[in-house]
Amino acid sequence: MNVLKFGGTSVGSAKNINSVISILENYSTKDTVICVVSAVGGITDKLLKAGALAQQKDTSYQAQFNLIADIHQRILADLIPSENTSKAQHLSEKLEELKSLLDGIFLINEISPKTSDKLVSFGELLSSFIIAKTMQHRGLDCQRKNSQDLIVTNSNFTKAEVIFEQTNKNIQHYFSEAKQRITILPGFIAKSDHGDITTLGRGGSDFTAAIVAAALKVKTLEIWTDVSGMYTTNPKMVKQAFPIKHLSYQEAMELSHFGAKVLYPPTVQPVLNLNIPIFIKNTLDPDAFGTKISNDAHQNGNAVKGISNINNISLLTLQGNGMVGIPGFSKRLFETLAQEKINVIFITQASSEHSICFGIDINDADQAKQAIDLTFENEITLKKIDPIIVETNLSIVALIGDKMKSHQGISGKMFSTLGKNNINIRAIAQGASEKNISAVIAEKDVKKALNTLHERFFEVKTKQLNIYITGVGNVGERLVEQIKQQRKYLKEQLKISIKVVGLSNSRTMVFNESGLSLKDWKSHLATGEKATLQGFLERAQSYNLRNSIFVDVTANEAVSKLYAAYLKHSIAVVACNKIACSSDFKNYNELKQLSRQYNAPFLFETNVGAGLPVIDTLNNLIASGDKVVSIQAVLSGSLNFVFNNFNESTKFHDVVKQAQKEGYTEPDPRIDLSGIDVARKILILARESGTEMNLSDIENVSFLTKANLNSDQVDDFYQTLIDDEAHFQNLYASATSNNCQLKYVASFNEGKAKVGLQEIPEGHPFYNLEGKDNIVMFYTKRYPEQPMIIKGAGAGADVTASGLFADIIRVGNK
Ligand code: ADP
Ligand code: ASP
Ligand code: MG
C-alpha cells in the first residue's frame, strides 16, 4: 500500500491533475494506492476571503464565490470534456451548498471558527470529487472516501487536535475492507467527536497523509508538491537553493517549524515513531529524486543542512531591575501565554536575567501584551518591571542541521556574514538541542539575509556582486563591454559572479533585480524610464541586494554627493569621478568613515593614473607599516600627450583639440590645462598618505596666459590658445635650448604639495615619459633613495574602464 499526497499546485489545473493521474495510474499497477489531495491551489485563501467579505456585509463575496465556482467548473470541463451532465450537476449542487453557506454568513454578519472550518472544507471536498470522478470516467479502479468519516479530532476549530486512537481504528477498519486499487481522500479536513467539521491547520493535508500512513504502517509516505524536494532554503527567495537529498526527521521538523512551508510541521511526528520514510517529490518533474526524510545516517559533509525563515514576527521584551528576585517569573510569563493559546516561536533570556525576550506571531502581539501586563500588574505598578515592549515587522532566520553542535564557529560565521551586509540582528537564540541557530532581523532584510547566508554556507565557491552603473559615456560603455566579455572567466576562474542590476545615463535608466541581459543593453537603456539620481539610489536601496556596488562613471558633482547615502545602505562605491575625494577634507573623511562603519568599500583607484594601481599600492605600503616621505609624479595623461606632441611645427591649439578628440582630456579641457585635475590627483595621494589637506593648500603655478585662464566658454578658451600660440612656442623653445622636455609635474613633500610645468633634464625618470603615460615615484621610509615607481598608460577609456573593473573585483575579494 502506498500513501501519496498531492498539494494545491499539483491539483491546480487540468494539466497538473492529468500528471497526478498518470503518477497514480503507474503506482496502482504495482500496489494499492491511497491519494490525499489538497484543495485546488489558492482556493482555501479564496474561500476565507469570500467568508470575510460576507461577514463584513460586502456583497462582493458573490463575485468571489463566482470565481471559485468558475475555477472548479472549468477544471472539470477540461478533464471530462465530452461528458456529461451528471458530474457537472453534482459539482453544481456542491457549489450551491457553498453559496448558501456564504449567504448565511452574509445574513447573520458573523463567521465563527466552526463556520470557517465548514467553509474551507469545501476546497478539499471539491478537488477530491473532481479527481475521483475523472479517474472513474477514465476507467480506473478508483473510489473517493470522505476523510471526515475517518479522522476524529477535538473541537479546536481551525487547528483541531487528532484523537489518534479512534482515528487509527477507523482508518485500519476502512482500508481492511476497501476493494479498489485507488482511494482518493480529501486532506486537511476531519470531524470532531461531536460530529462537527474541523480542519487540521493551514497546510494540513500533509498531516492527513501522515496520519493515514502511520495508521496503516505503510512503507513510505510521499508528499508531492511543486518543487523537487526540501531545498537548502526557500527556492522562491534564493535562486541558487537546491534540493537536500537526505534529511533526518529532526532536521525536517526544524526546517518546517522555522518556516519551510513545503512540509507542514506536525506531519513528521506520526511517521517518525514508526520509522516510515517521507519522500518529497515534484509532480511536475516526477523523475527528480526529491528529498528523503528518514533515520538513515545519510549525511553530506555540510553541518548546516538548510536555512529557513518565518515572517510576521513580533518580539516582546519584558525587563526590569526587579526581575532577578521575582520567583517563578518565567513560569508565570509562559503560563500566561499558554492560557491565551499563544504559540511562542522563539525565546532568549539575557544572561543578566534582567530581561527576557521572545518571538510570537504578529497577530498575537496585542493579546499577549494585554495578558502579560495584567499578570505582572503588581510588579509594574511597583516599578519592579517595565510594561512589556513590543517590536514588529520582524522575521526569524534559522540555520538548521543535526551536526551543527559538533562544529564550532557556525554562529560566529552566521553573525559576521549578516553583519558584513549590514543586517542588524535584534535577538539570537540557539535551540537547546543545538539543531538550530536563529536570529531575529527586520523583515525587509530577509531576502538579503537568506541570499547571503546561502552564499556563505552553501555556495562558498562563488560570490555574487550586484552592480549599479551610472554614466555610460565613453568609459562607462567600455566598462559594460568588459563586464560582458569577462563574466564567464570571472565566474570560472575568480569565483565572482557579476550581475549588472541597474544602468543609467543622464536621460534614462533600466533595472533588473536578477541582472540585466547585457546583449542589447544600449537599445534597452534607450527605452528605459526617465533617469533621476535619487530614483537610481532609491531603487538600489529597495532591492537591498547583498554585495551591492554603485559605480560612478560620471564627472558630476551631484552624483558624488550621493555616495554617503549609498554607503549608509552598505552599498560599496567605486568611482572614477574625482570630485568627492578632492572635495572638502571633511567630506572625504566622512566618506572614508562611513565606508568603515557600514563595511562598504569606497574605492577610487581610477582617480589617479587611470588603470594604474597607484592608490592600491599606496594603501598596501601604508597598511604594511611604511610611511610616505615624498611623491613626485606626472599625473596628467592629457598634459603629457599635449607636451609630447607639441613642437615648433605643430600648433598648441591643434594638439589640445586632438587630445580632447581622442578622449584623453576631461570633457572640459580647461580642467586639465589649468592644472586643477593634476592638483586634485596629488591631493588625493597626499590624503591617502595620511595628510589632512585641501585643494586650496596646493600651490598651482599655471603655464597658461591670463587670457586663457579668463575665458568663459570652452570655445573662447580654444580661441585664446590660437591667439597666444607665441607664448606656448616660447615655453617649448626655452626647454629645447636647455636640453629639457616639458613635463607637468606634481609633487608632495613634507606635507606640502604643488603642481606646475617643469623643464625636465635628460636622464631624469620623467624625461622619456611617452605618449599619455603617467609616472608616480613614492619615496618612503622603506624606499628612501630608489623610489617605488609606477609607470604606464594614464589616460584613455579602455584603461580607465579596466581600472574600475579592478576596483569592482577588489570589492568582490573583500
Ligand atoms: P503544496 O500546495 O504542494 O502543499 P506548499 O505551497 O504548501 O505546496 O509548499 C511548497 C512551497 O514551499 C514551495 O513552492 C516553496 O515556495 C515553499 N518553500 C519554502 N521553503 C522551502 C524549502 N526549504 N524547500 C522547498 N520549498 C520551500
Ligand atoms: N488547502 C489547505 C490550505 O491551503 C490545506 C493544504 O493545502 O495542505 O491550507
Ligand atoms: Mg502545503
Side-chain angles (χ1 to χ4, degrees):
M1 205 175 265
N2 291 297
V3 176
L4 284 74
K5 176 261 171 176
F6 290 89
T9 314
S10 305
V11 299
S13 64
K15 184 169 162 266
N16 290 356
I17 291 177
N18 279 326
S19 308
V20 171
I21 294 176
S22 85
I23 293 167
L24 292 176
E25 204 177 341
N26 193 5
Y27 273 62
S28 70
T29 58
K30 292 165 220 141
D31 202 347
T32 51
V33 180
I34 299 169
C35 165
V36 176
V37 294
S38 285
V40 169
I43 289 296
T44 310
D45 287 337
K46 290 191 172 67
L47 287 164
L48 288 169
K49 186 168 172 205
L53 290 169
Q55 186 257 328
Q56 290 154 17
K57 286 268 171 211
D58 183 337
T59 50
S60 63
Y61 80 91
Q62 286 162 347
Q64 190 68 18
F65 165 78
N66 289 339
L67 178 64
I68 294 167
D70 192 51
I71 291 171
H72 289 96
Q73 278 157 344
R74 219 178 278 193
I75 292 179
L76 184 68
D78 286 348
L79 287 168
I80 315 182
S82 58
E83 251 217 341
N84 99 16
T85 43
S86 81
K87 278 153 197 145
Q89 178 65 32
H90 187 99
L91 180 65
S92 299
E93 282 165 19
K94 276 306 274 174
L95 289 167
E96 264 318 302
E97 247 182 75
L98 168 61
K99 176 84 171 40
S100 317
L101 179 62
L102 287 167
D103 292 342
I105 296 169
F106 179 79
L107 276 178
I108 62 167
N109 204 352
E110 191 194 294
I111 183 166
S112 64
K114 181 169 154 182
T115 312
S116 175
D117 270 358
K118 185 163 184 196
L119 177 65
V120 288
S121 74
F122 277 89
E124 270 69 11
L125 290 173
L126 291 168
S127 65
S128 59
F129 169 80
I130 291 175
I131 294 164
K133 287 297 162 201
T134 306
M135 292 177 78
Q136 287 161 0
H137 177 73
R138 294 184 186 172
L140 293 163
D141 184 20
C142 165
Q143 64 173 341
R144 168 173 173 266
K145 175 70 185 164
N146 192 338
S147 319
Q148 288 164 344
D149 302 336
L150 303 175
I151 300 178
V152 187
T153 66
N154 65 8
S155 297
N156 194 1
F157 295 103
T158 76
K159 203 172 179 184
E161 280 133 46
V162 176
I163 302 170
F164 276 97
E165 217 182 293
Q166 188 68 42
T167 301
N168 288 346
K169 265 194 209 140
N170 290 348
I171 294 171
Q172 285 154 4
H173 176 73
Y174 178 76
F175 283 100
S176 67
E177 293 186 349
K179 299 274 179 309
Q180 278 82 355
R181 296 292 286 175
I182 304 170
T183 307
I184 307 287
L185 294 176
F188 180 50
I189 58 177
K191 201 179 277 174
S192 77
D193 45 0
H194 291 97
D196 298 310
I197 296 174
T198 56
T199 62
L200 304 177
R202 292 304 307 271
S205 295
D206 298 345
F207 192 29
T208 306
I211 295 165
V212 175
L216 299 172
K217 300 194 171 55
V218 296
K219 281 214 194 63
T220 59
L221 164 63
E222 298 186 8
I223 305 285
W224 290 74
T225 181
D226 60 349
V227 286
S228 297
M230 207 159 199
Y231 279 58
T232 44
T233 188
N234 187 345
K236 302 239 163 83
M237 302 281 265
V238 178
K239 283 221 175 94
Q240 288 81 356
F242 51 87
I244 311 165
K245 280 217 158 78
H246 297 279
L247 282 170
S248 71
Y249 291 116
Q250 275 71 23
E251 287 170 334
M253 263 196 284
E254 295 279 338
L255 278 167
S256 66
H257 181 76
F258 279 98
K261 187 184 166 222
V262 63
L263 194 67
Y264 182 52
T267 308
V268 179
Q269 201 62 48
V271 293
L272 177 154
N273 299 335
L274 296 164
N275 241 332
I276 300 171
I278 307 174
F279 285 89
I280 299 182
K281 302 275 291 177
N282 188 348
T283 308
L284 312 173
D285 184 9
D287 294 332
F289 178 83
T291 296
K292 181 181 181 188
I293 301 166
S294 69
N295 262 341
D296 299 356
H298 272 299
Q299 295 276 0
N300 63 18
N302 212 340
V304 179
K305 295 294 273 296
I307 310 168
S308 4
N309 70 293
I310 317 179
N311 293 350
N312 294 323
I313 294 289
S314 280
L315 198 64
L316 277 68
T317 309
L318 198 56
Q319 59 188 19
N321 290 331
M323 256 173 65
V324 195
I326 302 176
F329 171 81
S330 299
K331 188 162 167 267
R332 282 166 66 204
L333 171 64
F334 291 110
E335 264 171 14
T336 307
L337 292 166
Q339 268 162 16
E340 300 288 319
K341 291 205 163 61
I342 292 171
N343 181 28
V344 178
I345 304 169
F346 172 105
I347 307 171
T348 65
Q349 175 142 20
S351 51
S352 68
E353 293 187 8
H354 278 228
S355 82
I356 186 157
C357 173
F358 57 95
I360 58 176
D361 190 293
I362 208 163
N363 296 311
D364 296 332
D366 286 344
Q367 191 189 343
K369 178 169 169 55
Q370 278 174 20
I372 296 166
D373 282 348
L374 194 67
T375 300
F376 294 101
E377 201 177 8
N378 246 337
E379 287 86 347
I380 293 173
T381 322
L382 295 172
K383 296 206 170 356
K384 282 189 173 172
I385 57 178
D386 309 331
I388 199 150
I389 304 164
V390 181
E391 290 165 80
T392 51
N393 295 331
L394 298 171
S395 290
I396 295 176
V397 173
L399 298 187
I400 308 258
D402 283 345
K403 286 203 166 166
M404 288 198 319
K405 59 171 173 285
S406 44
H407 287 71
Q408 275 73 40
I410 292 180
S411 52
K413 230 194 227 180
M414 176 182 190
F415 302 130
S416 70
T417 306
L418 294 173
K420 266 188 201 150
N421 281 275
N422 201 31
I423 297 166
N424 195 18
I425 302 171
R426 270 296 296 114
I428 44 184
Q430 184 148 349
S433 61
E434 292 186 44
K435 289 180 198 311
N436 76 66
I437 305 171
S438 29
V440 177
I441 61 172
E443 198 163 313
K444 68 172 177 44
D445 287 332
V446 164
K447 192 166 181 191
K448 189 181 191 181
L450 291 179
N451 276 280
T452 350
L453 290 172
H454 195 268
E455 187 174 76
R456 184 73 181 86
F457 288 97
F458 294 99
E459 314 156 36
V460 257
K461 288 165 212 95
T462 43
K463 180 160 185 182
Q464 187 180 308
L465 305 181
N466 296 295
I467 306 209
Y468 300 84
I469 303 176
T470 190
V472 284
N474 222 347
V475 176
E477 181 182 331
R478 304 294 166 89
L479 175 64
V480 178
E481 290 300 328
Q482 287 182 10
I483 292 175
K484 194 163 114 188
Q485 282 158 18
Q486 303 266 331
R487 248 197 309 212
K488 198 158 164 268
Y489 166 83
L490 286 173
K491 194 156 183 188
E492 283 164 9
Q493 303 296 319
L494 296 185
K495 306 293 180 208
I496 289 178
S497 140
I498 297 193
K499 275 191 186 152
V500 178
V501 180
L503 267 182
S504 172
N505 57 26
S506 53
R507 293 171 302 280
T508 49
M509 56 186 190
V510 283
F511 302 91
N512 185 337
E513 200 179 343
S514 358
L516 292 160
S517 152
L518 297 182
K519 206 159 139 254
D520 299 311
W521 66 271
K522 274 195 203 165
S523 48
H524 184 198
L525 178 59
T527 58
E529 62 194 272
K530 189 175 177 318
T532 64
L533 299 180
Q534 194 61 31
F536 201 72
L537 165 71
E538 279 163 14
R539 205 64 78 87
Q541 288 172 350
S542 72
Y543 287 149
N544 198 13
L545 299 171
R546 68 201 189 287
N547 308 325
S548 289
I549 308 175
F550 171 68
V551 187
D552 177 7
V553 204
T554 71
N556 186 324
E557 185 172 2
V559 177
S560 73
K561 289 208 163 128
L562 292 176
Y563 294 173
Y566 280 101
L567 293 171
K568 280 181 191 163
H569 275 82
S570 290
I571 299 172
V573 174
V574 165
C576 69
N577 185 347
K578 290 184 216 46
I579 295 176
C581 286
S582 55
S583 64
D584 187 49
F585 183 79
K586 219 174 116 240
N587 183 48
Y588 158 86
N589 202 31
E590 188 192 320
L591 292 174
K592 299 281 280 189
Q593 267 173 10
L594 288 175
S595 162
R596 275 190 294 273
Q597 185 181 344
Y598 290 91
N599 229 318
F602 171 38
L603 299 178
F604 39 86
E605 180 60 89
T606 48
N607 278 194
V608 181
L612 294 176
V614 179
I615 295 177
D616 195 44
T617 307
L618 175 56
N619 291 159
N620 288 336
L621 284 176
I622 291 170
S624 65
D626 203 354
K627 199 168 176 324
V628 173
V629 178
S630 80
I631 303 172
Q632 300 289 320
V634 174
L635 292 173
S636 170
S638 23
L639 286 176
N640 204 40
F641 176 90
V642 167
F643 287 107
N644 276 339
N645 286 282
F646 176 56
N647 53 42
E648 66 275 30
S649 54
T650 55
K651 294 240 156 38
F652 194 72
H653 162 272
D654 297 349
V655 180
V656 175
K657 259 267 140 90
Q658 190 193 347
Q660 185 178 20
K661 209 170 118 227
E662 310 221 349
Y664 302 146
T665 66
E666 295 286 317
D668 180 346
R670 288 174 298 180
I671 295 182
D672 295 292
L673 288 150
S674 65
I676 293 226
D677 190 55
V678 175
R680 283 177 179 163
K681 288 173 180 170
I682 194 73
L683 174 68
I684 293 168
L685 292 184
R687 286 175 170 179
E688 290 289 299
S689 305
T691 304
E692 186 175 332
M693 187 183 274
N694 274 310
L695 203 57
S696 54
D697 300 328
I698 296 175
E699 191 185 327
N700 181 353
V701 188
S702 182
F703 67 87
L704 295 175
T705 65
K706 278 218 172 77
N708 301 150
L709 289 168
N710 291 339
S711 58
D712 264 354
Q713 303 291 327
V714 177
D715 285 347
D716 302 340
F717 173 67
Y718 272 116
Q719 185 56 48
T720 62
L721 293 187
I722 296 176
D723 300 342
D724 291 337
E725 176 66 18
H727 165 73
F728 299 112
Q729 284 297 345
N730 280 342
L731 294 175
Y732 177 76
S734 155
T736 320
S737 68
N738 292 331
N739 247 339
C740 286
Q741 290 271 10
L742 286 172
K743 296 287 165 199
Y744 198 87
V745 176
S747 59
F748 167 70
N749 202 356
E750 292 183 345
K752 293 208 161 43
K754 63 176 183 202
V755 297
L757 194 65
Q758 289 184 17
E759 293 184 357
I760 301 293
E762 212 174 342
H764 190 281
F766 294 174
Y767 185 84
N768 283 322
L769 197 67
E770 287 169 356
K772 52 193 189 323
D773 282 3
N774 277 195
I775 184 166
V776 186
M777 305 196 296
F778 288 115
Y779 292 89
T780 68
K781 270 187 163 167
R782 218 174 284 152
Y783 297 91
E785 269 129 40
Q786 290 302 315
M788 152 86 86
I789 298 182
I790 299 154
K791 180 177 161 189
D798 262 322
V799 286
T800 309
S802 56
L804 285 167
F805 205 166
D807 270 351
I808 291 171
I809 291 169
R810 268 178 210 123
V811 176
N813 287 335
K814 286 218 170 178

Short mmCIF file of all heavy atoms in Angstrom, two decimals, residues 72 360 468 733 794:
data_model
loop_
_atom_site.label_atom_id
_atom_site.label_comp_id
_atom_site.label_asym_id
_atom_site.label_seq_id
_atom_site.Cartn_x
_atom_site.Cartn_y
_atom_site.Cartn_z
N HIS A 72 -13.47 25.72 -10.57
CA HIS A 72 -13.76 24.28 -10.49
C HIS A 72 -14.49 23.77 -11.72
O HIS A 72 -14.16 22.70 -12.25
CB HIS A 72 -14.56 23.97 -9.22
CG HIS A 72 -13.75 24.11 -7.96
ND1 HIS A 72 -13.74 25.25 -7.21
CD2 HIS A 72 -12.87 23.27 -7.37
CE1 HIS A 72 -12.92 25.10 -6.18
NE2 HIS A 72 -12.37 23.90 -6.26
N ILE A 360 6.75 35.94 18.85
CA ILE A 360 5.44 35.30 18.60
C ILE A 360 4.90 35.83 17.27
O ILE A 360 5.45 36.79 16.71
CB ILE A 360 4.42 35.61 19.72
CG1 ILE A 360 4.23 37.12 19.88
CG2 ILE A 360 4.84 35.00 21.04
CD1 ILE A 360 3.16 37.49 20.89
N TYR A 468 25.42 48.58 -9.91
CA TYR A 468 24.61 49.68 -10.44
C TYR A 468 25.58 50.66 -11.08
O TYR A 468 26.41 51.24 -10.38
CB TYR A 468 23.86 50.37 -9.31
CG TYR A 468 22.94 49.43 -8.57
CD1 TYR A 468 23.41 48.62 -7.54
CD2 TYR A 468 21.59 49.34 -8.91
CE1 TYR A 468 22.57 47.74 -6.87
CE2 TYR A 468 20.74 48.46 -8.24
CZ TYR A 468 21.24 47.67 -7.23
OH TYR A 468 20.40 46.81 -6.58
N ALA A 733 60.57 76.49 -26.79
CA ALA A 733 61.91 76.89 -27.23
C ALA A 733 62.86 76.93 -26.03
O ALA A 733 64.01 76.46 -26.10
CB ALA A 733 61.86 78.25 -27.91
N GLY A 794 48.19 56.34 -18.61
CA GLY A 794 47.48 57.03 -17.53
C GLY A 794 46.21 57.71 -17.98
O GLY A 794 45.62 58.48 -17.23
#
